[in-house]
Amino acid sequence: MPYRYRDDIATADVAFEVWGESLEEVFAAAADATMNVMVEDISTIGCLHQLTVELGHDQLDLLLFSFLNELIFLKDARKLLLRVQDISIGMEEAKFALKSTLCGEMPDAGKHRLATDVKAVTLHRFSLDKTESGWQAFVILDI
Amino acid sequence: MSIPEVVKKVSDTVWEIPISYKEGMRVPGRIYATEKLVKEMDAGVFEQLSNVACLPGIINYAYCMPDGHWGYGFPIGGMAAMDPEKGVISPGGIGFDINCGMRLVLTNLTLEEVQPKLRELVDALFRKVPAGVGSTGFIKLSKNEFAEVTEQGSRWCLRKGYAWPEDLENTEEGGCFKGADASKVSAKAVERGFDQVGTLGSGNHYCELQVAKPENIFEAETARAFGITIPNQVVIMFHCGSRGFGHQVATDYLQLFLNVMEKKYDIRVNDRELSCAPFRSREGQDYFAAMTCAINMAFANRQVILHRIREVFSDVFRKDARALGMQMVYDVAHNTAKLEKHTINGKQKEVLIHRKGATRAFGPGMEGLPEHYKKTGQPVIIGGSMETGSYLLVGLPTAAEALYTTAHGSGRTMSRHQAKKLIKGQKLQQDMEHRGIYVRTASWGGLAEEAGIAYKNIDEVVEATELAGLSRRVVRLLPLGNIKG
């Protein structure tokens, strides 16, 4: 599990750090860390609906911010709990561009141990940085 | 924890962070709390408060209430008044859950009458008031109808038969803030929230049956004026906001402000969550109009939930809700920005007040209060943890200094993750049932996160508001039954 929740920061909400060798790994792990706040065992989320998202931003960290926001939007608007099936991040017309295939299903209290809803991704201390071994990010979710 | 050196004591209940603490501070930070509560505040509070003090156009102080704790942007329990002409508006000073707020409703039933029906009531409420991840409301609205809800708030509910006329009188600003414009709301925000009217949400949102025991009445005359007139009277308190709709409005404008703040308006902030725009700018006005839509949607949400609660009580007791005395005491928001008139440096002035986890608490005689509360002052509803109890307070003239603002709840001291490690939801439910509190939840993990152990002592928080002259205790309310998301 390439993410860890932080008990000592923003106690009323949920803070997590996430790491990976590639940007794609960090984005996918951050998506799982967000979903894991809402579903206690994310391996129970089946792949019944598939959809593709394409996002762009001129700042790489804000591309991650938009991506997590999109997952939260889809949770309410499409009633879908989603995980990353495939993701690629590159450059398009001088902007960072993301394309991801997401897969998931509707929340089902009988099947998923539902936990706490995520309201939003905050920008307080939000970061995405390159490290010696890859990338890491820090995120605080509003609960 | 000890109090950081930079926090100076002004009096037993007032603490100050001087402007010399951080470059760019325009006003000092001011914390209302007892020494014990200041000691318990996490370091994030002082950092965030001093960041707020740097915002353009801030007047007097960056304020923090006794329940202040580490949030994002503003601390939770934070308040700041801006000069509308020179100041900014910031979504980080309101929160994503726009118009998260509290509503308190009376019954003429006593503990003895409710006790035998407690399970039936809580189970029925759990069925009728959807809570938790992905829940939707019973009202099916088209997107156009939803736009009406966002512009009219509780007035829409009255037209549709979900409100009694006097409910609106007992809601802050009549349940409809001025200035809402649905054309300033994104399609995404509508899509996210149009089917959520009448839902509680999750996290610390709940609906609770409570009892006012005679030994917990601090001020009998004010309690009577607020409708607490019978020994062991049962009341209903609930806490929720504007659901995914408000969350999306805040997210949309946070991103917009981030784009224009530096480039267009040359404003720099210490925390990107404090992204803002001049209040009188096009972007600032658009956000204000969209945010007001979310405020109104939250009033409608709580109004529709009240309608459902009245139906449940009516079914269980086989009596009309009016015959059961189910009048509202009050509905007050704690995540808003609004224009209010206050005395600033001896002069009446209209200011833009951001309250984030802070409650408006008007004193006696103030404009904006319904006639029947003019003598007493405004009812203030403070939710505690589901294990310990909550309070009904009243606004005071002495709160003028804090622009008639007080605390909003108890404030967390333990992270959600840590609470879940220490406590199991099922065990907590059983333990609470042994103590006579029956809880239903959409999530065991979510229930564990809300255990009393994770919160500050509510008695200390409200006592601090009283010592600081922000609000006074009227009744302490004990939990009987609770539904939570």
Side-chain angles (χ1 to χ4, degrees), chain B residues 67-83:
Chain B
D67 53 339
H69 55 287
W70 191 341
Y72 46 86
F74 276 45
I76 301 161
M79 184 270 280
M82 307 296 179
D83 181 330

Side-chain angles (χ1 to χ4, degrees), chain B residues 45-93:
Chain B
V45 172
F46 310 116
E47 277 317 304
Q48 293 184 329
L49 201 60
S50 53
N51 289 340
V52 173
C54 299
L55 291 174
I58 187 165
I59 293 169
N60 288 358
Y61 300 99
Y63 297 86
C64 179
M65 298 297 129
D67 53 339
H69 55 287
W70 191 341
Y72 46 86
F74 276 45
I76 301 161
M79 184 270 280
M82 307 296 179
D83 181 330
E85 305 311 319
K86 298 178 205 145
V88 294
I89 184 166
S90 171

Side-chain angles (χ1 to χ4, degrees), chain B residues 8-16 30-33 401 468:
Chain B
K8 312 284 180 216
K9 185 172 180 173
V10 177
S11 73
D12 284 348
T13 52
V14 178
W15 306 76
E16 207 160 288
R30 173 160 279 219
I31 302 161
Y32 292 96
E401 186 190 278

